[in-house]
Amino acid sequence: MILTLSCADRPGIVRAVANLLFDRGANIIDAQQFGDDETGRFFMRVVFDVGEAGADDLRAAFEPVASAFAMTWTLRDPKVRRKVMILASQTDHCLSDLVWRWRRGELPLDICAVVSNHPAETYSSVDLSGLPFHHLPVDRETKLEQEAALWALIQQTGAELVVLARYMQILSDGLAAKLEGRCINIHHSFLPGFKGARPYHQAHARGVKVIGATAHYVTADLDEGPIIEQDVERISHRDTPSALIRKGRDIERRVLARAVRWHLEDRVLLNGKKTVVFTD
């Protein structure tokens, strides 16, 4: 089982959690914690074997502890795979990478749907066999209707996480609010950076020495959501815009994959506009 929690920092939290698990015969395998001096919040992730106690018994036993410390908490069985919906547009490298990692068993998820504003033939190089594909075209006049159909699909499939794998449509404030904390976007920049169209061409024109990518939770503030993961790669004056695009795609793939896996493994806890990430 995996227990995650956050609450106001005060003495006795770790002891209360450890004592409860010990009293129920559970064995702690891994524990990570962090106290944020700036916000006064405490964060913890504990992985443990249940032992003789059942999950329901542990959940009921933990309620008084959580109430005493006013905790926000989750208790989840990591063997239960969560449903993930992937959204993509014409660029397919992030979609292809996530599907490839899923087929190899590297990501603990079930892909409940692949959704695009472009038809399936756009992804002729991606192995989508066996995956439900939904074409939801959109333009300025049909954006509200398309988002309504997308939200209905999210509810219908039971998607617990939505991944924007270079989905080049801005979600409305309303949909972003509904998906708070469970929608991850990959941005083609080491934020803050070159925003808008042709970012690698902008970077080349400015002679940058590193390029990068950022995976973050989606919020109503465009590209301003809590950051989960970032990475960069050094470049030189010899790199052309096409070389930057090629290298940038590699960074985007690995950054998005790490962010998705960490979310699914309950390693990411929201801390206001930031995140606490208990990496492996």
Side-chain angles (χ1 to χ4, degrees):
M1 300 292 288
I2 301 176
L3 170 68
T4 63
L5 62 91
S6 65
C7 60
D9 199 358
R10 62 187 248 203
I13 301 171
V14 175
R15 178 179 178 179
V17 172
N19 283 350
L20 182 142
L21 294 178
F22 176 78
D23 291 342
R24 292 298 185 281
N27 179 43
I28 295 177
I29 300 171
D30 182 66
Q32 299 180 71
Q33 64 192 62
F34 172 69
D36 189 340
D37 291 336
E38 292 183 0
T39 63
R41 300 286 294 175
F42 177 82
F43 303 85
M44 190 173 188
R45 177 182 185 269
V46 185
V47 182
F48 60 93
D49 283 332
V50 175
E52 296 181 0
D56 291 338
D57 176 56
L58 275 171
R59 190 171 281 105
F62 193 73
E63 286 282 2
V65 175
S67 178
F69 289 93
M71 294 176 178
T72 299
W73 62 287
T74 64
L75 181 62
R76 195 180 67 83
D77 184 350
K79 295 179 183 178
V80 178
R81 294 158 66 93
R82 282 185 277 188
K83 296 180 179 179
V84 175
M85 176 183 291
I86 303 175
L87 275 61
S89 291
Q90 285 183 297
T91 304
D92 64 4
H93 60 283
C94 286
L95 169 63
S96 178
D97 184 71
L98 291 174
V99 171
W100 182 82
R101 292 177 188 271
W102 165 72
R103 293 195 185 280
R104 289 181 57 86
E106 292 185 10
L107 292 174
L109 59 86
D110 287 327
I111 300 177
C112 61
V114 174
V115 181
S116 178
N117 54 319
H118 296 274
E121 51 266 28
T122 305
Y123 310 103
S124 58
S125 61
V126 183
D127 180 11
L128 297 178
S129 58
L131 294 174
F133 182 88
H134 302 267
H135 177 208
L136 298 180
V138 62
D139 55 35
R140 290 184 179 180
E141 287 71 32
T142 62
K143 185 171 180 61
L144 291 179
E145 291 82 355
Q146 192 254 16
E147 278 205 350
L150 176 59
W151 175 242
L153 188 60
I154 291 170
Q155 294 177 299
Q156 175 188 333
T157 59
E160 298 166 83
L161 175 66
V162 175
V163 180
L164 307 186
R166 293 304 306 272
Y167 181 64
M168 305 307 289
Q169 295 292 318
I170 298 173
L171 301 188
S172 68
D173 292 356
L175 184 56
K178 291 177 181 177
L179 295 174
E180 182 179 4
R182 61 189 186 104
C183 182
I184 296 175
N185 182 43
I186 183 67
H187 192 278
H188 51 230
S189 179
F190 187 70
L191 294 174
F194 299 100
K195 298 184 179 181
R198 297 165 64 86
Y200 293 110
H201 292 76
Q202 295 181 54
H204 181 262
R206 292 284 298 276
V208 300
K209 297 300 180 279
V210 296
I211 58 172
T214 300
H216 63 91
Y217 287 117
V218 172
T219 63
D221 296 323
L222 183 63
D223 298 328
E224 298 293 336
I227 292 171
I228 304 170
E229 172 64 339
Q230 295 180 292
D231 203 353
V232 296
E233 182 170 328
R234 293 201 64 82
I235 59 170
S236 77
H237 59 277
R238 298 182 184 276
D239 287 302
T240 62
S242 60
L244 300 189
I245 291 172
R246 173 177 55 80
K247 293 181 177 182
R249 285 172 176 169
D250 287 340
I251 306 171
E252 290 167 15
R253 280 192 286 256
R254 63 179 183 255
V255 168
L256 182 59
R258 283 199 293 260
V260 169
R261 182 168 61 84
W262 289 342
H263 176 95
L264 295 172
E265 293 178 350
D266 301 289
R267 296 181 179 276
V268 186
L269 283 71
L270 288 172
N271 183 18
K273 294 183 178 181
K274 302 185 294 183
T275 61
V276 172
V277 182
F278 292 120
T279 57
D280 49 359

